[in-house]
Amino acid sequence: PDHLDDQEMGIFKKLAGELKPTRLEVKDVSGGCGSMYAIEIASERFVGLSLVRQHRLVHDILAKEVKAWHGVQLRTSVA
């Protein structure tokens, strides 16, 4: 997506590559400093997983990035 900055695009590509989502939105909600992101993702990979396991899967994929953030708003759903 053209509207994403470099950091948002990095997150987008990493999640898209791992989870093959049917819907994915990534937005820096920290005012542009890159310390908090809102992520909405729908993926077939979440089928059969509890909400906690869905979130853990996303956090595991973004483990390196999350360490530098103050927070993340995460919404997951089954495609």
Side-chain angles (χ1 to χ4, degrees), residues 4 7 15 24 28 34 39-40 51 66 75 79:
L4 301 180
Q7 290 179 330
L15 290 173
L24 177 55
D28 181 345
I39 299 170
E40 286 190 42
L51 189 60
V66 170
R75 291 187 179 165

Side-chain angles (χ1 to χ4, degrees), residues 42-50 53-54 57 77-79:
S43 174
E44 293 286 334
R45 291 276 313 273
F46 297 146
V47 171
L49 298 180
S50 68
R53 289 194 183 270
Q54 292 174 23
L57 180 58
S77 61
V78 175

Side-chain angles (χ1 to χ4, degrees), residues 20-63:
K20 309 293 186 238
T22 56
R23 187 178 81 252
L24 177 55
E25 293 290 331
V26 177
K27 183 174 183 179
D28 181 345
V29 292
S30 66
C33 71
S35 64
M36 187 163 181
Y37 289 88
I39 299 170
E40 286 190 42
I41 184 168
S43 174
E44 293 286 334
R45 291 276 313 273
F46 297 146
V47 171
L49 298 180
S50 68
L51 189 60
V52 171
R53 289 194 183 270
Q54 292 174 23
H55 284 216
R56 188 173 296 145
L57 180 58
V58 173
H59 277 271
D60 288 347
I61 292 167
L62 297 175

